[in-house]
Structure formats: structure tokens, C-alpha cells
Amino acid sequence: MSTAEPDALDQADMARLVAGHDAALTALMERHSGPLFGFLCRFLRDEDAASDLAQETFVRVYQHRMDFKPGHRFSTWLFTIGGNLARNHLRARSRRPEVSLEGDGEDQPGLANTLPASDGSPADQTARTEQQAAVRAAVAGLPDDLREAIVLCELEDRSVAEAATILGATAKAVESRLYRARGQLRQQLARWLAAS
């Protein structure tokens, strides 16, 4: 399926939603809830919050359906809404830090910390698991603005222009954030880069 096909479907569903056919929201959710949840999981590093904000994002889509500009990419608009909600959530969380009675969650496996098993020797699997944990920790340790850029451009495979629209920044600012993030990641992951 080409990129034009989902875009055309999104445009048609948004036109139906604006016209009062609420069922069109279901089709949009079926196509975009997985990628949106993945983006929010990577950005927030909290599955529960990502799930809540993914739902809230679609609530906002419905509430602001009249604001959607036909001809623009729906996924960019959706990720912009989701990204704004995530940033607001992080700001609120930083003002009200939570202390869990169950620990910090680092040792508790979750969707964001679990990767599918792969074949290979136990030593290879252990090294791969350590490397993946190091990459996750390095990405998680980036400042929010740099992490957003890396998640959108590297993990979500969005273009710099689309990431700029989602982040409300210029393409040059996103490129700068990517450059700084990659530099920090190279420093933090030097051990793994030297091994490969």
C-alpha cells in the first residue's frame, strides 16, 4: 500500500467525520492507534500514560474535527495533538513527581522495555539484550526536545519536515536537535559502537 492510499483514506474519513458520520473516527483509530501508542510509549516511557494519552488524542481529534485542514496529512495533525498532550503530561509530572511503592519500574518488564526474542546463542542474546537496554537508557536520558526529535525521525521514521510540524519547530531546529541527540548518543553508546 502506497503512502497516498492511507492519506486518501484519512482525507475521506475526516470529511465523513466533519459531515457528522461519527463512525469514521473508528476507521481512523484502527489505522493510527498502534503507531500513535508506539510513539507515545517511546516518548513518555510509560505504557499507562501512553494508553491514556492515545485515547485522549482521539477525543481531541473528534472535538476539533472542524479545525482539520483538508489536504494536510492527518497523521501529522494526529501526532501533533499527541505530542502536545505528551509534553503537557511531562510538564505536569515534573511538577508532581510520583513515588511508586513497587519500585522505579526499571526492573519490571513492560511493552517499552520488552523486545521480541531472536535466535542466536545465549551469549549473543545477552549481548543484544544489554545493547538494547543501553540504547533505550541512552534515548530515555536525552532531554525532552532531543528525545522527541530522535523518536519521531529515527524510530517513527518521520521526515524532518513532518517532525518540525508535529513539534511546532522549524526544520532547521529539528535538524539541530537530531545532530545534538546523535552526538550525545554516540558518546553514551561508544562502547557498543566500538564493538560493532
Side-chain angles (χ1 to χ4, degrees), residues 32-83:
H32 296 284
S33 61
L36 177 65
F37 175 72
F39 163 68
L40 292 170
C41 254
R42 288 183 194 102
F43 183 52
L44 297 171
R45 301 176 320 268
D46 180 342
E47 288 178 50
D48 293 332
S51 178
D52 291 345
L53 290 182
Q55 291 176 30
E56 178 63 23
T57 300
F58 283 106
V59 168
R60 299 285 175 96
V61 164
Y62 181 78
Q63 290 172 336
H64 299 282
R65 63 192 177 278
M66 299 299 187
D67 297 334
F68 179 73
K69 295 176 179 60
H72 287 85
R73 285 190 71 184
F74 173 77
S75 63
T76 301
W77 188 58
L78 178 73
F79 274 65
T80 300
I81 295 168

Side-chain angles (χ1 to χ4, degrees), residues 76 148-149 152-153 158-170 174:
T76 301
E148 284 177 316
L152 284 170
C153 293
R158 303 282 174 172
S159 69
V160 169
E162 189 172 3
T165 301
I166 291 168
L167 298 174
T170 64
V174 171

